[in-house]
């Protein structure tokens, strides 16, 4: 099993161009955010009927998927799992409130599409294909890589 740093090193190979990195710092979190929004739009009667907590922030498919996602990150790094958890909860809260004012499904689809266009443009500029083409696990490494790079101590 690869370590988190090994994943980061491999991911960084196709993320050297400064413009591509900047695009990723915006688009990767936007994709993560929009996927949470999309998952929140899936009907939740199975979850709500079994939990009966009446807490919409955790009685949705996004929360269920995030539990499994966090298991992936815990396997790599407890610290990174905690950082992803904070970001995921911020995404849950923001999507919940956005959904109070606009159609969350349409909003999430729009953000998702625009962010992916940005991602592919960044890789066009970079001249290298996205990492996930070789291994789908890189779709989960991207958010961690962004968090690591945006909040790493500057030397």
């Amino acid at each position: 099993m690869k370590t988190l740093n090994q994943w980061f090193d491999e991911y960084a190979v196709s993320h050297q161009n400064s413009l591509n990195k900047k695009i990723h710092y915006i688009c990767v979190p936007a994709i993560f955010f929009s996927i949470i929004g999309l998952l929140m739009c899936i009907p939740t009667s199975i979850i709500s009927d079994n939990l009966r907590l009446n807490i919409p922030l955790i009685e949705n498919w996004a929360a269920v998927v995030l539990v499994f996602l966090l298991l992936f990150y815990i396997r790599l790094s407890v610290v990174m799992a905690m950082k992803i958890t904070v970001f995921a909860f911020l995404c849950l809260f923001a999507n919940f409130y956005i959904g109070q004012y606009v159609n969350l499904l349409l909003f999430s689809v729009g953000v998702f599409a625009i962010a992916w266009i940005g991602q592919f443009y960044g890789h066009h500029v970079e001249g290298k294909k996205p990492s996930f083409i070789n291994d789908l696990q890189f779709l989960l490494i991207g958010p961690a890589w962004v968090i690591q790079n945006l909040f790493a101590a500057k030397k």
Side-chain angles (χ1 to χ4, degrees):
M1 182 174 92
K2 293 181 192 174
T3 67
L4 187 58
N5 286 333
Q6 289 171 324
W7 280 110
F8 286 164
D9 290 344
E10 197 172 330
Y11 190 82
V13 169
S14 60
H15 301 89
Q16 298 295 312
N17 180 281
S18 65
L19 178 59
N20 187 29
K21 285 183 183 179
K22 289 174 187 170
I23 289 170
H24 275 64
Y25 294 157
I26 295 167
C27 292
V28 169
I31 291 167
F32 188 95
F33 177 82
S34 67
I35 290 172
I36 289 176
L38 291 168
L39 289 169
M40 289 177 77
C41 293
I42 299 172
T44 60
S45 59
I46 294 171
I47 299 170
S48 299
D49 291 348
N50 291 322
L51 287 178
R52 299 172 206 238
L53 297 173
N54 200 25
I55 305 171
L57 281 173
I58 61 170
E59 288 183 20
N60 62 65
W61 287 108
V64 172
V65 170
L66 286 171
V67 168
F68 291 102
L69 180 69
L70 293 175
L71 292 174
F72 172 83
Y73 289 114
I74 288 170
R75 207 172 51 107
L76 295 173
S77 164
V78 173
V79 172
M80 182 54 69
M82 292 179 353
K83 292 175 183 178
I84 293 286
T85 300
V86 169
F87 180 61
F89 274 111
L90 291 172
C91 290
L92 279 169
F93 283 114
N95 273 294
F96 176 76
Y97 287 107
I98 288 169
Q100 304 300 306
Y101 299 102
V102 300
N103 181 313
L104 184 59
L105 178 61
L106 293 176
F107 179 82
S108 297
V109 167
V111 170
F112 185 84
I114 291 167
W116 272 110
I117 290 168
Q119 289 284 88
F120 284 112
Y121 174 73
H123 279 287
H124 173 73
V125 169
E126 179 87 37
K128 296 180 183 164
K129 62 184 178 178
S131 300
F132 73 86
I133 300 293
N134 295 329
D135 188 338
L136 289 177
Q137 291 181 83
F138 280 112
L139 292 171
L140 301 177
I141 296 302
W145 180 83
V146 168
I147 287 172
Q148 182 70 19
N149 283 289
L150 286 178
F151 299 103
K154 303 296 180 201
K155 296 176 182 176

